[in-house]
Structure formats: structure tokens, C-alpha cells
Amino acid sequence: MIRKIIHIDEEKCNGCGICAEACHEGAIDIVDGKAKLVRENFCDGFGDCLPGCPTGAITFEEREAPAYDETAVKEAQEKKMMKEMEQHAAGQGCPGSRFMQLKNNEETSQTTMTSMKPVSRLGQWPCQIKLLPTQAPFYDGAKLLIAADCTAYAYANMHEDFMKGKVTMIGCPKLDEGDYTEKLTEIISNNNITGVTIVRMEVPCCGGLQRAAENALKTSGKFIPWQVVTISRDGKILE
């Protein structure tokens, strides 16, 4: 079929690899020091790889090419993520930051109903924004909870009212170094996120967390339902 696809001018290419990193679909590899479009059916024709090229070696062209295979792309991404997870499990990096999906199943929910004992609704590990990976299987179709870490101490029913059914991401802009915007933008841009809830304290420093989340949503270019909930210092939801 004739469709729009990228073209890489190897004479201009300096092999920096920026395009390969920018291509979330994995269509580009660095071969013998040059960027090459090695999987034409992985190229969606949107050109995420274009803006970062320092030599202007990448352009669009319309030509005969296989159709974009979204299923194959997702399978390749999942295999890559699983490999990364296996590497973490093998002992690479801090053991406490190895990411995993946690299961809070129907049996657990039923136990809660009958015993009236609280149960954890944390669905993945880690939960600190700084430690979370930018891509992982638990993001697929997920709703994000971006919460200030103090909210769980101030609001008594945090697990049931906010964490249940969501990927929980916590942070404190006053204590953590740097801004969360870039990390949150990568997560929202590179994954199938279906909703975002921002839970913050009423104190001014929590504004940094809210701004980072809002900027990430805007920068991602995606239309995703989102809301902000503010918790008072005495544990009430402020209208």
C-alpha cells in the first residue's frame, strides 16, 4: 500500500540514536553507526523521531510500504518490558525499586466485606513517582492516581475512595528534587492511560504536584478525563 512513512538520509545521519529512543514503536535501530528503519510495519507515520534529529536526516515520504501493525508493535513493547522486569528481578538495581503488579482480587474484596478489616488497594510497586518506570504492563488501560504523600495520612479512607482500581503515584514537590513534569509526561504519552485523579493537600507546596500533572496532561497532547481533589489538614475533602 502507498502510505506516509519516514525516510532516513544515511549521509546526514551521525548515529546519535536520538531517533531510535524517540520512536516508541521500535521501528528504528542503530546499525553500523547509522539509524535505519528496520521495521517498516512498526512505523506509524506520525514522526515522533523527526523533531529531535540534530542533522535533519529524517523526513517524510509517501511510498509503497507495509501497513502499520499495531498488534505487532504492542507485542514487541510487552516483550521489551518483560525483559526489563526480568533484569530487575535478576538483581540489577535496588531490590526495593523492582517494579511489579500486585493483585487485590475478588476474594480479597469479599474478605473485606465480611470481616470489615481494611485491605490495601495498592495495585503496583513501586509507588513513588521518582522510582516508577515510564513503561510497564500495569499502565495499559490504567487510571492514574497522582497523590501528595501526606494525603494518605490526612484522609482516612484513601485506599477505598481513591487508590482502588488505579495506579498509585505519590510524591512531595517540597521534599523531592526536581520537577515531576517530564516523568509524568513520559508515562502519559507512552501508555494507554484512561483517566487521571490528582489528590493534593490544601497547603501551597502541593501546588507543584498539581501543576506538574496538569502540564504533563497538556504536553502529552492526549484528551484524558482528569480531576483534582483537595484534602484539608484535618482530613476533609474540600469542595
Side-chain angles (χ1 to χ4, degrees), residues 38-89:
V38 293
R39 303 171 193 87
E40 293 186 349
N41 62 324
F42 280 28
C43 177
D44 59 11
F46 290 156
D48 288 345
C49 55
L50 270 70
C53 181
T55 63
I58 305 175
T59 56
F60 280 125
E61 64 178 351
E62 289 196 9
R63 63 173 174 81
E64 183 73 30
Y68 172 62
D69 192 340
E70 184 176 4
T71 301
V73 169
K74 287 186 176 180
E75 288 178 355
Q77 289 174 334
E78 289 177 1
K79 287 181 181 178
K80 181 180 178 182
M81 286 186 285
M82 290 303 296
K83 184 177 180 180
E84 291 174 352
M85 292 177 71
E86 289 171 359
Q87 289 174 343
H88 278 274

Tab-separated table of all heavy atoms in Angstrom, residues 38-89:
chain	number	residue	atom	x	y	z
A	38	VAL	N	14.282	-0.319	10.307
A	38	VAL	CA	14.431	-1.768	10.140
A	38	VAL	C	13.095	-2.511	10.197
A	38	VAL	O	13.001	-3.669	9.799
A	38	VAL	CB	15.383	-2.344	11.202
A	38	VAL	CG1	16.799	-1.832	10.986
A	38	VAL	CG2	14.909	-2.013	12.616
A	39	ARG	N	12.064	-1.844	10.703
A	39	ARG	CA	10.733	-2.475	10.776
A	39	ARG	C	9.704	-1.498	10.220
A	39	ARG	O	9.113	-0.706	10.962
A	39	ARG	CB	10.407	-2.853	12.228
A	39	ARG	CG	11.451	-3.774	12.870
A	39	ARG	CD	11.213	-3.938	14.362
A	39	ARG	NE	12.377	-4.562	15.006
A	39	ARG	CZ	13.414	-3.884	15.462
A	39	ARG	NH1	13.460	-2.558	15.343
A	39	ARG	NH2	14.435	-4.520	16.014
A	40	GLU	N	9.490	-1.546	8.924
A	40	GLU	CA	8.586	-0.599	8.283
A	40	GLU	C	7.159	-0.722	8.821
A	40	GLU	O	6.433	0.269	8.912
A	40	GLU	CB	8.596	-0.793	6.767
A	40	GLU	CG	9.931	-0.420	6.124
A	40	GLU	CD	9.862	-0.482	4.612
A	40	GLU	OE1	8.865	-1.016	4.071
A	40	GLU	OE2	10.801	0.009	3.962
A	41	ASN	N	6.750	-1.943	9.181
A	41	ASN	CA	5.386	-2.128	9.692
A	41	ASN	C	5.214	-1.621	11.122
A	41	ASN	O	4.114	-1.604	11.658
A	41	ASN	CB	4.976	-3.609	9.622
A	41	ASN	CG	5.858	-4.513	10.464
A	41	ASN	OD1	7.067	-4.292	10.572
A	41	ASN	ND2	5.273	-5.533	11.065
A	42	PHE	N	6.326	-1.176	11.758
A	42	PHE	CA	6.252	-0.583	13.085
A	42	PHE	C	6.165	0.945	13.013
A	42	PHE	O	5.909	1.587	14.023
A	42	PHE	CB	7.479	-0.966	13.920
A	42	PHE	CG	7.412	-2.342	14.529
A	42	PHE	CD1	6.683	-3.354	13.927
A	42	PHE	CD2	8.078	-2.635	15.706
A	42	PHE	CE1	6.627	-4.629	14.469
A	42	PHE	CE2	8.029	-3.905	16.278
A	42	PHE	CZ	7.292	-4.902	15.650
A	43	CYS	N	6.399	1.519	11.860
A	43	CYS	CA	6.394	2.974	11.703
A	43	CYS	C	4.959	3.451	11.486
A	43	CYS	O	4.324	3.092	10.491
A	43	CYS	CB	7.278	3.392	10.527
A	43	CYS	SG	7.264	5.178	10.212
A	44	ASP	N	4.456	4.283	12.427
A	44	ASP	CA	3.076	4.745	12.322
A	44	ASP	C	2.925	5.993	11.458
A	44	ASP	O	1.817	6.458	11.202
A	44	ASP	CB	2.488	4.998	13.710
A	44	ASP	CG	3.273	6.031	14.512
A	44	ASP	OD1	4.156	6.707	13.937
A	44	ASP	OD2	3.003	6.159	15.721
A	45	GLY	N	4.044	6.570	11.019
A	45	GLY	CA	3.984	7.735	10.145
A	45	GLY	C	3.698	9.039	10.858
A	45	GLY	O	3.455	10.061	10.210
A	46	PHE	N	3.727	9.051	12.212
A	46	PHE	CA	3.460	10.274	12.959
A	46	PHE	C	4.720	11.129	13.139
A	46	PHE	O	4.628	12.323	13.384
A	46	PHE	CB	2.853	9.958	14.324
A	46	PHE	CG	1.448	9.435	14.244
A	46	PHE	CD1	0.935	8.652	15.259
A	46	PHE	CD2	0.633	9.712	13.164
A	46	PHE	CE1	-0.359	8.161	15.201
A	46	PHE	CE2	-0.659	9.232	13.091
A	46	PHE	CZ	-1.162	8.454	14.109
A	47	GLY	N	5.885	10.505	13.054
A	47	GLY	CA	7.127	11.266	13.059
A	47	GLY	C	7.607	11.769	14.408
A	47	GLY	O	8.177	12.855	14.487
A	48	ASP	N	7.405	10.988	15.486
A	48	ASP	CA	7.957	11.389	16.786
A	48	ASP	C	9.482	11.493	16.731
A	48	ASP	O	10.092	12.186	17.544
A	48	ASP	CB	7.575	10.373	17.868
A	48	ASP	CG	6.101	10.444	18.227
A	48	ASP	OD1	5.455	11.439	17.853
A	48	ASP	OD2	5.598	9.501	18.869
A	49	CYS	N	10.084	10.805	15.768
A	49	CYS	CA	11.539	10.785	15.648
A	49	CYS	C	12.096	12.022	14.942
A	49	CYS	O	13.305	12.279	15.008
A	49	CYS	CB	11.969	9.532	14.879
A	49	CYS	SG	11.156	9.375	13.257
A	50	LEU	N	11.246	12.791	14.261
A	50	LEU	CA	11.735	13.912	13.456
A	50	LEU	C	12.301	15.078	14.258
A	50	LEU	O	13.417	15.537	13.986
A	50	LEU	CB	10.628	14.433	12.528
A	50	LEU	CG	10.527	13.810	11.139
A	50	LEU	CD1	10.027	12.367	11.240
A	50	LEU	CD2	9.595	14.603	10.247
A	51	PRO	N	11.563	15.599	15.262
A	51	PRO	CA	11.991	16.858	15.884
A	51	PRO	C	13.364	16.820	16.540
A	51	PRO	O	14.066	17.825	16.578
A	51	PRO	CB	10.893	17.107	16.939
A	51	PRO	CG	9.725	16.307	16.486
A	51	PRO	CD	10.302	15.103	15.826
A	52	GLY	N	13.742	15.656	17.082
A	52	GLY	CA	14.999	15.590	17.817
A	52	GLY	C	16.237	15.390	16.968
A	52	GLY	O	17.348	15.474	17.475
A	53	CYS	N	16.087	15.112	15.672
A	53	CYS	CA	17.251	14.816	14.833
A	53	CYS	C	18.106	16.063	14.654
A	53	CYS	O	17.670	17.046	14.048
A	53	CYS	CB	16.808	14.289	13.470
A	53	CYS	SG	18.205	13.883	12.387
A	54	PRO	N	19.354	16.057	15.139
A	54	PRO	CA	20.195	17.263	15.075
A	54	PRO	C	20.731	17.577	13.678
A	54	PRO	O	21.176	18.700	13.426
A	54	PRO	CB	21.338	16.931	16.047
A	54	PRO	CG	21.441	15.438	16.004
A	54	PRO	CD	20.035	14.939	15.832
A	55	THR	N	20.696	16.599	12.778
A	55	THR	CA	21.258	16.828	11.446
A	55	THR	C	20.193	16.944	10.360
A	55	THR	O	20.527	17.129	9.190
A	55	THR	CB	22.218	15.675	11.071
A	55	THR	OG1	21.483	14.449	10.999
A	55	THR	CG2	23.337	15.542	12.092
A	56	GLY	N	18.930	16.809	10.735
A	56	GLY	CA	17.850	16.887	9.750
A	56	GLY	C	17.839	15.712	8.785
A	56	GLY	O	17.443	15.847	7.629
A	57	ALA	N	18.273	14.550	9.269
A	57	ALA	CA	18.394	13.384	8.389
A	57	ALA	C	17.064	12.666	8.152
A	57	ALA	O	16.980	11.804	7.279
A	57	ALA	CB	19.400	12.399	8.984
A	58	ILE	N	16.019	13.019	8.904
A	58	ILE	CA	14.749	12.302	8.799
A	58	ILE	C	13.684	13.183	8.176
A	58	ILE	O	13.480	14.335	8.577
A	58	ILE	CB	14.283	11.820	10.190
A	58	ILE	CG1	15.363	10.978	10.856
A	58	ILE	CG2	12.987	11.013	10.075
A	58	ILE	CD1	15.026	10.565	12.273
A	59	THR	N	13.013	12.659	7.189
A	59	THR	CA	11.921	13.354	6.526
A	59	THR	C	10.776	12.365	6.296
A	59	THR	O	10.922	11.168	6.500
A	59	THR	CB	12.363	13.939	5.168
A	59	THR	OG1	12.911	12.874	4.357
A	59	THR	CG2	13.410	15.031	5.351
A	60	PHE	N	9.652	12.892	5.832
A	60	PHE	CA	8.535	12.046	5.436
A	60	PHE	C	8.594	11.777	3.936
A	60	PHE	O	9.072	12.605	3.155
A	60	PHE	CB	7.195	12.728	5.737
A	60	PHE	CG	6.755	12.623	7.167
A	60	PHE	CD1	6.456	13.772	7.889
A	60	PHE	CD2	6.606	11.390	7.785
A	60	PHE	CE1	6.024	13.683	9.197
A	60	PHE	CE2	6.173	11.299	9.096
A	60	PHE	CZ	5.885	12.446	9.797
A	61	GLU	N	8.089	10.615	3.549
A	61	GLU	CA	7.884	10.336	2.135
A	61	GLU	C	6.661	9.440	1.991
A	61	GLU	O	6.249	8.776	2.950
A	61	GLU	CB	9.110	9.643	1.526
A	61	GLU	CG	9.423	8.274	2.094
A	61	GLU	CD	10.624	7.627	1.400
A	61	GLU	OE1	11.080	8.165	0.381
A	61	GLU	OE2	11.090	6.571	1.882
A	62	GLU	N	6.063	9.457	0.826
A	62	GLU	CA	4.947	8.564	0.536
A	62	GLU	C	5.415	7.536	-0.472
A	62	GLU	O	5.869	7.882	-1.561
A	62	GLU	CB	3.746	9.347	0.003
A	62	GLU	CG	3.069	10.194	1.066
A	62	GLU	CD	1.676	10.641	0.646
A	62	GLU	OE1	1.177	10.149	-0.391
A	62	GLU	OE2	1.089	11.469	1.366
A	63	ARG	N	5.315	6.287	-0.096
A	63	ARG	CA	5.791	5.212	-0.962
A	63	ARG	C	5.114	3.900	-0.602
A	63	ARG	O	4.335	3.817	0.368
A	63	ARG	CB	7.307	5.069	-0.862
A	63	ARG	CG	7.816	4.684	0.533
A	63	ARG	CD	9.301	4.398	0.487
A	63	ARG	NE	9.896	4.159	1.785
A	63	ARG	CZ	9.856	2.993	2.443
A	63	ARG	NH1	9.201	1.946	1.926
A	63	ARG	NH2	10.441	2.857	3.623
A	64	GLU	N	5.419	2.862	-1.375
A	64	GLU	CA	4.908	1.536	-1.096
A	64	GLU	C	5.549	1.015	0.200
A	64	GLU	O	6.777	0.996	0.342
A	64	GLU	CB	5.238	0.594	-2.250
A	64	GLU	CG	4.674	-0.809	-2.087
A	64	GLU	CD	3.172	-0.874	-2.285
A	64	GLU	OE1	2.636	-0.057	-3.058
A	64	GLU	OE2	2.541	-1.751	-1.662
A	65	ALA	N	4.720	0.638	1.165
A	65	ALA	CA	5.221	0.143	2.444
A	65	ALA	C	4.145	-0.727	3.091
A	65	ALA	O	2.951	-0.527	2.844
A	65	ALA	CB	5.580	1.305	3.372
A	66	PRO	N	4.538	-1.695	3.897
A	66	PRO	CA	3.539	-2.499	4.597
A	66	PRO	C	2.727	-1.648	5.562
A	66	PRO	O	3.213	-0.619	6.050
A	66	PRO	CB	4.382	-3.540	5.350
A	66	PRO	CG	5.736	-2.938	5.453
A	66	PRO	CD	5.916	-2.108	4.223
A	67	ALA	N	1.504	-2.041	5.827
A	67	ALA	CA	0.630	-1.300	6.732
A	67	ALA	C	1.187	-1.316	8.152
A	67	ALA	O	1.908	-2.238	8.547
A	67	ALA	CB	-0.774	-1.903	6.713
A	68	TYR	N	0.863	-0.277	8.884
A	68	TYR	CA	1.274	-0.193	10.290
A	68	TYR	C	0.595	-1.310	11.068
A	68	TYR	O	-0.631	-1.467	11.025
A	68	TYR	CB	0.894	1.169	10.863
A	68	TYR	CG	1.093	1.294	12.354
A	68	TYR	CD1	2.363	1.161	12.919
A	68	TYR	CD2	0.018	1.557	13.205
A	68	TYR	CE1	2.555	1.280	14.283
A	68	TYR	CE2	0.203	1.686	14.565
A	68	TYR	CZ	1.467	1.545	15.105
A	68	TYR	OH	1.654	1.669	16.454
A	69	ASP	N	1.382	-2.108	11.784
A	69	ASP	CA	0.865	-3.271	12.508
A	69	ASP	C	0.871	-2.968	14.006
A	69	ASP	O	1.840	-3.243	14.716
A	69	ASP	CB	1.730	-4.504	12.214
A	69	ASP	CG	1.105	-5.802	12.698
A	69	ASP	OD1	0.226	-5.737	13.581
A	69	ASP	OD2	1.505	-6.872	12.207
A	70	GLU	N	-0.232	-2.416	14.496
A	70	GLU	CA	-0.316	-2.015	15.898
A	70	GLU	C	-0.200	-3.213	16.839
A	70	GLU	O	0.420	-3.125	17.901
A	70	GLU	CB	-1.635	-1.288	16.152
A	70	GLU	CG	-1.765	-0.738	17.571
A	70	GLU	CD	-3.035	0.064	17.778
A	70	GLU	OE1	-3.861	0.131	16.848
A	70	GLU	OE2	-3.200	0.616	18.872
A	71	THR	N	-0.769	-4.340	16.441
A	71	THR	CA	-0.710	-5.541	17.287
A	71	THR	C	0.727	-6.005	17.483
A	71	THR	O	1.154	-6.324	18.604
A	71	THR	CB	-1.537	-6.680	16.665
A	71	THR	OG1	-2.895	-6.259	16.521
A	71	THR	CG2	-1.480	-7.931	17.525
A	72	ALA	N	1.485	-6.041	16.383
A	72	ALA	CA	2.884	-6.463	16.470
A	72	ALA	C	3.704	-5.492	17.315
A	72	ALA	O	4.594	-5.901	18.066
A	72	ALA	CB	3.483	-6.584	15.070
A	73	VAL	N	3.394	-4.206	17.204
A	73	VAL	CA	4.105	-3.195	17.991
A	73	VAL	C	3.867	-3.419	19.479
A	73	VAL	O	4.801	-3.408	20.289
A	73	VAL	CB	3.661	-1.774	17.582
A	73	VAL	CG1	4.194	-0.737	18.580
A	73	VAL	CG2	4.154	-1.440	16.189
A	74	LYS	N	2.607	-3.637	19.861
A	74	LYS	CA	2.278	-3.840	21.270
A	74	LYS	C	2.942	-5.105	21.806
A	74	LYS	O	3.421	-5.126	22.944
A	74	LYS	CB	0.765	-3.912	21.452
A	74	LYS	CG	0.070	-2.559	21.311
A	74	LYS	CD	-1.405	-2.653	21.639
A	74	LYS	CE	-2.052	-1.283	21.596
A	74	LYS	NZ	-3.503	-1.328	21.913
A	75	GLU	N	2.957	-6.160	20.990
A	75	GLU	CA	3.604	-7.400	21.421
A	75	GLU	C	5.098	-7.181	21.663
A	75	GLU	O	5.664	-7.672	22.647
A	75	GLU	CB	3.395	-8.492	20.370
A	75	GLU	CG	1.965	-9.029	20.310
A	75	GLU	CD	1.786	-10.063	19.226
A	75	GLU	OE1	2.756	-10.296	18.462
A	75	GLU	OE2	0.682	-10.635	19.119
A	76	ALA	N	5.735	-6.427	20.763
A	76	ALA	CA	7.163	-6.146	20.912
A	76	ALA	C	7.432	-5.284	22.146
A	76	ALA	O	8.412	-5.505	22.872
A	76	ALA	CB	7.693	-5.449	19.654
A	77	GLN	N	6.552	-4.309	22.398
A	77	GLN	CA	6.713	-3.451	23.571
A	77	GLN	C	6.569	-4.260	24.857
A	77	GLN	O	7.312	-4.058	25.816
A	77	GLN	CB	5.685	-2.318	23.530
A	77	GLN	CG	5.966	-1.274	22.460
A	77	GLN	CD	4.857	-0.244	22.334
A	77	GLN	OE1	3.698	-0.512	22.664
A	77	GLN	NE2	5.187	0.931	21.848
A	78	GLU	N	5.592	-5.174	24.867
A	78	GLU	CA	5.383	-6.004	26.053
A	78	GLU	C	6.576	-6.922	26.304
A	78	GLU	O	6.993	-7.114	27.444
A	78	GLU	CB	4.104	-6.830	25.900
A	78	GLU	CG	2.832	-5.999	25.997
A	78	GLU	CD	1.583	-6.821	25.777
A	78	GLU	OE1	1.715	-8.049	25.560
A	78	GLU	OE2	0.478	-6.256	25.816
A	79	LYS	N	7.139	-7.485	25.224
A	79	LYS	CA	8.315	-8.341	25.374
A	79	LYS	C	9.495	-7.539	25.932
A	79	LYS	O	10.245	-8.031	26.782
A	79	LYS	CB	8.694	-8.949	24.022
A	79	LYS	CG	7.748	-10.048	23.551
A	79	LYS	CD	8.189	-10.613	22.217
A	79	LYS	CE	7.236	-11.698	21.740
A	79	LYS	NZ	7.634	-12.229	20.401
A	80	LYS	N	9.641	-6.318	25.454
A	80	LYS	CA	10.728	-5.467	25.934
A	80	LYS	C	10.557	-5.160	27.415
A	80	LYS	O	11.520	-5.221	28.195
A	80	LYS	CB	10.764	-4.164	25.131
A	80	LYS	CG	11.877	-3.215	25.546
A	80	LYS	CD	11.858	-1.947	24.720
A	80	LYS	CE	12.942	-0.977	25.164
A	80	LYS	NZ	12.903	0.289	24.380
A	81	MET	N	9.315	-4.848	27.802
A	81	MET	CA	9.062	-4.535	29.204
A	81	MET	C	9.265	-5.753	30.096
A	81	MET	O	9.790	-5.652	31.198
A	81	MET	CB	7.642	-3.975	29.370
A	81	MET	CG	7.498	-2.546	28.862
A	81	MET	SD	5.885	-1.819	29.214
A	81	MET	CE	4.861	-2.648	28.001
A	82	MET	N	8.840	-6.911	29.614
A	82	MET	CA	9.029	-8.129	30.394
A	82	MET	C	10.515	-8.436	30.578
A	82	MET	O	10.944	-8.885	31.643
A	82	MET	CB	8.331	-9.306	29.710
A	82	MET	CG	6.816	-9.240	29.743
A	82	MET	SD	6.150	-9.122	31.423
A	82	MET	CE	6.673	-10.707	32.101
A	83	LYS	N	11.305	-8.179	29.540
A	83	LYS	CA	12.750	-8.392	29.632
A	83	LYS	C	13.360	-7.466	30.685
A	83	LYS	O	14.209	-7.878	31.474
A	83	LYS	CB	13.406	-8.150	28.269
A	83	LYS	CG	14.900	-8.435	28.255
A	83	LYS	CD	15.476	-8.256	26.861
A	83	LYS	CE	16.975	-8.544	26.847
A	83	LYS	NZ	17.550	-8.370	25.493
A	84	GLU	N	12.878	-6.201	30.687
A	84	GLU	CA	13.372	-5.251	31.678
A	84	GLU	C	12.991	-5.692	33.084
A	84	GLU	O	13.775	-5.562	34.026
A	84	GLU	CB	12.816	-3.858	31.384
A	84	GLU	CG	13.382	-3.240	30.113
A	84	GLU	CD	12.719	-1.918	29.770
A	84	GLU	OE1	11.730	-1.569	30.445
A	84	GLU	OE2	13.179	-1.242	28.836
A	85	MET	N	11.761	-6.221	33.221
A	85	MET	CA	11.317	-6.703	34.522
A	85	MET	C	12.166	-7.879	34.996
A	85	MET	O	12.505	-7.984	36.168
A	85	MET	CB	9.840	-7.102	34.453
A	85	MET	CG	8.890	-5.937	34.263
A	85	MET	SD	7.170	-6.447	34.101
A	85	MET	CE	6.821	-6.966	35.785
A	86	GLU	N	12.503	-8.773	34.063
A	86	GLU	CA	13.342	-9.921	34.401
A	86	GLU	C	14.735	-9.472	34.833
A	86	GLU	O	15.339	-10.044	35.737
A	86	GLU	CB	13.443	-10.864	33.204
A	86	GLU	CG	12.143	-11.610	32.910
A	86	GLU	CD	12.193	-12.372	31.608
A	86	GLU	OE1	13.244	-12.300	30.915
A	86	GLU	OE2	11.203	-13.025	31.262
A	87	GLN	N	15.250	-8.436	34.174
A	87	GLN	CA	16.561	-7.909	34.539
A	87	GLN	C	16.536	-7.329	35.951
A	87	GLN	O	17.476	-7.509	36.728
A	87	GLN	CB	17.003	-6.850	33.531
A	87	GLN	CG	17.358	-7.426	32.172
A	87	GLN	CD	17.651	-6.353	31.145
A	87	GLN	OE1	17.309	-5.181	31.330
A	87	GLN	NE2	18.283	-6.737	30.048
A	88	HIS	N	15.441	-6.622	36.277
A	88	HIS	CA	15.300	-6.095	37.629
A	88	HIS	C	15.227	-7.235	38.635
A	88	HIS	O	15.842	-7.198	39.698
A	88	HIS	CB	14.039	-5.233	37.734
A	88	HIS	CG	14.222	-3.842	37.232
A	88	HIS	ND1	14.714	-2.833	38.031
A	88	HIS	CD2	13.989	-3.288	36.018
A	88	HIS	CE1	14.781	-1.714	37.334
A	88	HIS	NE2	14.343	-1.961	36.111
A	89	ALA	N	14.446	-8.259	38.281
A	89	ALA	CA	14.273	-9.392	39.193
A	89	ALA	C	15.578	-10.152	39.394
A	89	ALA	O	15.786	-10.797	40.421
A	89	ALA	CB	13.210	-10.340	38.648
